[in-house]
Amino acid sequence: MTPCHAVEILLTRPADPSELRYARSSRLALNADRTRLMAVQSAPSPGTALHLLRRRLDTHLPIDVLSTHYPNRHRQVLLNVALDRTAGRALRRDAAARGLRPGDVLRQHVTTSLAREEERRARRLKERLAPLLTEHTPEEVLAGAAALLYGRQGHGALAAP
């Protein structure tokens, strides 16, 4: 039996009504703003699942990126990105100059961008927390954050310590 792989589909824009009909007839789960879909694809490997799904859907939906929904045993999520000619040429040129494969260069760019975004978000969080710590103790801020998070899970608010 061929294994099945969960695939997340990110669209370049919200799907229009005809694309939605195709998505529903293909048994794809769609999010509320019509920009992300989920699919289950049978294939021998996650990479093959991404490739098969890209071939099946590319002419019917405005696909930006396909990704495996669950990390592999190396804790990596696989991506399938279709680059336009200009971006593809630039990537191949960069890879040749470095003596690397284009996929490796793309992986470095994505990893660097993700790390930069993570640092930016952490810095923004610290900037937002700093004013709270002038009026509240660290314990109060932590308890408030815990109550907020716990409440989001549908458990109601926690009592203050």
Side-chain angles (χ1 to χ4, degrees):
M1 180 176 186
T2 306
C4 290
H5 305 277
V7 176
E8 186 169 1
I9 304 163
L10 282 75
L11 304 178
T12 57
R13 59 170 171 72
D16 68 32
S18 66
E19 293 163 340
L20 285 176
R21 279 192 296 281
Y22 181 81
R24 288 192 177 110
S25 70
S26 296
R27 299 181 187 197
L28 302 172
L30 186 67
N31 76 335
D33 68 1
R34 303 182 334 250
T35 58
R36 292 171 57 200
L37 297 100
M38 287 296 297
V40 176
Q41 177 69 49
S42 63
S45 70
T48 302
L50 294 176
H51 178 74
L52 291 173
L53 203 56
R54 168 78 67 180
R55 283 185 43 203
R56 189 177 101 207
L57 300 176
D58 219 15
T59 57
H60 300 288
L61 293 167
I63 297 173
D64 190 18
V65 176
L66 297 174
S67 69
T68 53
H69 188 64
Y70 299 105
N72 63 15
R73 65 179 177 268
H74 304 291
R75 297 176 31 145
Q76 295 176 332
V77 173
L78 301 181
L79 299 178
N80 179 292
V81 181
L83 301 173
D84 64 20
R85 286 186 181 146
T86 305
R89 259 192 305 258
L91 185 64
R92 286 189 297 278
R93 197 171 31 251
D94 189 13
R98 295 186 196 188
L100 298 170
R101 297 180 307 181
D104 294 335
V105 172
L106 182 59
R107 179 177 324 166
Q108 289 175 353
H109 286 304
V110 169
T111 301
T112 301
S113 294
L114 288 173
R116 195 176 305 126
E117 176 64 12
E118 190 175 318
E119 289 171 9
R120 185 195 67 76
R121 289 174 50 88
R123 188 172 46 254
R124 186 172 175 210
L125 178 60
K126 288 177 186 175
E127 289 168 357
R128 289 182 168 188
L129 285 173
L132 290 175
L133 292 171
T134 62
E135 294 182 36
H136 304 281
T137 66
E139 294 80 11
E140 289 172 327
V141 173
L142 184 58
L148 180 63
L149 292 172
Y150 192 69
R152 282 189 180 171
Q153 295 174 354
H155 300 292
L158 289 175

